[in-house]
Amino acid sequence: MSEYSSPTQFIDLVAQQKMIRPQLDAAIKRVLDHGQYIMGPEVKEFESQLRDFTGAKHALTCANGTDALTLVLMAWGIGSGDAVFVPSFTYVATAEAPAQLGATPFFVDVCDDNFNMDPTSFKQAIIDARQLGLKPAVVIPVDLFGQPADIDTLTEIAHAENIKVLVDGAQSFGAMSKGRRVGTMGDATTTSFFPAKPLGCYGDGGAVFTNIDEDAEVINSIRLHGKGSQKYDNVRIGLNSRLDTIQAAILIEKLKLFPQELSLRSAVAKHYSACLSSVCKVPIVSSDIQSAWAQYTIQPKNRHNLQSRLKDVGIPSVVYYPIALSEQIGYKHYPSVSSGVGKSQLLSKTVLSLPMHPYLEEADISRICSEVEKSSSK
Ligand SMILES: *Cc1c(COP(=O)(O)O)cnc(C)c1O
């Protein structure tokens, strides 16, 4: 690469912004002109577009993806004495939401080929939770790195035990499983519009999806301070958790590009896998699943060597996640499945995420692949 070309970005938000800057400026200006900064018309418009895009009956936006999880758990009355099953290999927010409500996050192991919750480990964790005197209440499968978890198997196990399924789709907005779009699976789904997620705004944002009318009504009340039928009736304890109108206006413009960006991400992943599958362990996506490719995560033989080699040649790479959640200081006092979380621990020591965004050029991908190959042949 010539020293004059722009450096490879891990996630390139600049290229996208350049493409739609005039539309973004106009959208923001409209909000400044009408002045309805909270729950303005763009919020309703975006929620309607989210329903159309996902096929979910209800889409409720909120302040961020962590609040989205909290809103659903609150609507379901989750609290002290409840076990909420979460993967031990995920972003902290998945366990933080139940912990905040006084429930017990219960760590379950993951599969090492797709990074998602292992149904066998989940089954064991239900037995373990009962033995500890906890009520198995909710499971939160995470669609890690953009790939939907094995939702049918997990839901079958959960529903047989009266456990609700809350899909954490913070990284998988836009992905599909067996023809269903993320947002329509489980008893509820949440997502995040944090800037670096597949569909990101220019600040914090999130959403809840559900097909259940009563849940939607309660979640709508909770995000607005527990309001009743009138604005100043307070029928329950709630939160202040709304998506800003300006962020909704930005997301409306970005959603127009999103289907195309999903195919571009998918093409980048395909290119990576074609080059790297003989070199190291690459993500396995089953044929009935389309990942949103939030990350492209490999398991190289020697992560340390590869990462420093990439750094030397100006290619960014990130370890998601360097410590299993069940080992984090803030969380290690919570229970883990009795069969152990060995896969999560191993993954935290081996995984490496490569640059991934829709505007990554072929030449960049080839260069990255050739560096990975060189590092692994040593
Ligand atoms: C980003 C993320 C969240 C939290 O979303 P925020 O909008 O940052 O609050 C929750 N779960 C997972 C798996 C995430 O990656």
Side-chain angles (χ1 to χ4, degrees):
M1 195 173 87
S2 114
E3 60 191 293
Y4 300 108
S5 42
S6 58
T8 305
Q9 303 289 313
F10 187 71
I11 292 176
D12 190 347
L13 297 175
V14 175
Q16 181 201 50
Q17 190 187 99
K18 269 191 190 147
M19 290 172 64
I20 54 167
R21 184 60 190 256
Q23 293 93 312
L24 290 167
D25 286 339
I28 292 167
K29 181 177 182 298
R30 280 194 294 275
V31 177
L32 298 190
D33 287 345
H34 68 55
Q36 297 176 58
Y37 305 124
I38 302 292
M39 298 303 268
E42 283 83 356
V43 173
K44 289 181 191 75
E45 172 66 23
F46 180 56
E47 287 181 343
S48 145
Q49 292 177 0
L50 286 176
R51 288 193 295 272
D52 289 345
F53 183 81
T54 58
K57 190 164 179 203
H58 302 279
L60 298 116
T61 53
C62 62
N64 55 68
T66 310
D67 274 10
L69 292 167
T70 303
L71 284 167
V72 176
L73 295 173
M74 284 176 78
W76 290 348
I78 300 307
S80 175
D82 290 327
V84 177
F85 301 97
V86 299
S88 48
F89 190 63
T90 179
Y91 183 61
V92 63
T94 316
E96 186 180 30
Q100 275 287 352
L101 295 173
T104 303
F106 201 111
F107 294 110
V108 176
D109 208 7
V110 298
C111 305
D112 59 3
D113 52 355
N114 65 5
F115 313 108
N116 285 329
M117 187 180 279
D118 175 359
T120 309
S121 178
F122 172 41
K123 264 191 189 162
Q124 181 60 49
I126 299 170
I127 298 168
D128 296 341
R130 287 220 171 87
Q131 256 163 18
L132 287 177
L134 296 165
K135 177 178 179 275
V138 177
V139 60
I140 311 185
V142 177
D143 298 341
L144 206 70
F145 305 144
Q147 178 173 180
D150 183 359
I151 193 66
D152 291 339
T153 309
L154 293 168
T155 302
E156 199 182 311
I157 297 167
H159 284 178
E161 304 274 356
N162 250 328
I163 296 168
K164 290 195 175 191
V165 180
L166 169 53
V167 178
D168 182 346
Q171 301 184 8
S172 65
F173 185 73
M176 298 188 78
S177 174
K178 298 183 187 168
R180 299 160 300 184
R181 192 74 81 167
V182 162
T184 57
M185 293 169 268
D187 297 302
T189 300
T190 59
T191 199
S192 164
F193 304 120
F194 181 82
K197 308 284 171 158
L199 180 65
C201 57
Y202 293 142
D204 278 308
V208 176
F209 303 91
T210 176
N211 289 334
I212 302 165
D213 297 342
E214 303 83 66
D215 283 357
E217 203 179 311
V218 176
I219 289 163
N220 183 47
S221 161
I222 296 173
R223 71 174 168 167
L224 301 164
H225 296 291
K227 80 173 187 78
S229 51
Q230 305 288 316
K231 190 174 172 190
Y232 293 106
D233 287 346
N234 304 104
V235 298
R236 56 175 62 79
I237 293 172
L239 296 173
N240 171 3
S241 188
R242 300 167 297 221
L243 180 71
D244 291 340
T245 308
I246 281 188
Q247 299 302 345
I250 289 162
L251 284 163
I252 288 170
E253 297 309 317
K254 287 204 181 194
L255 187 60
K256 293 176 190 162
L257 291 182
F258 189 60
Q260 169 70 8
E261 290 187 341
L262 283 171
S263 359
L264 291 170
R265 281 176 184 274
S266 184
V268 170
K270 230 182 181 165
H271 188 158
Y272 269 139
S273 293
C275 297
L276 296 178
S277 58
S278 57
V279 175
C280 61
K281 202 165 174 188
V282 298
I284 310 282
V285 180
S286 72
S287 58
D288 50 11
I289 279 182
Q290 278 168 267
S291 176
W293 293 111
Q295 302 294 342
Y296 188 88
T297 304
I298 59 172
Q299 298 170 59
K301 286 186 201 90
N302 188 328
R303 177 170 80 187
H304 181 76
N305 282 0
L306 174 57
Q307 217 183 357
S308 46
R309 178 180 195 106
L310 292 176
K311 193 168 173 231
D312 288 345
V313 296
I315 295 170
S317 63
V318 182
V319 174
Y320 296 119
Y321 297 92
I323 305 176
L325 213 42
S326 49
E327 326 261 282
Q328 291 279 6
I329 291 170
Y331 288 86
K332 62 185 183 192
H333 60 289
Y334 287 115
S336 292
V337 63
S338 59
S339 45
V341 291
K343 295 259 167 69
S344 305
Q345 289 163 332
L346 187 69
L347 286 171
S348 67
K349 292 182 177 63
T350 55
V351 289
L352 188 67
S353 298
L354 300 177
M356 169 52 85
H357 59 80
Y359 308 104
L360 199 58
E361 292 182 5
E362 299 247 330
D364 279 333
I365 307 170
S366 301
R367 187 171 76 99
I368 296 164
C369 289
S370 104
E371 293 301 334
V372 176
E373 277 166 42
K374 278 187 237 164
S375 154
S376 68
S377 63
K378 277 207 303 184

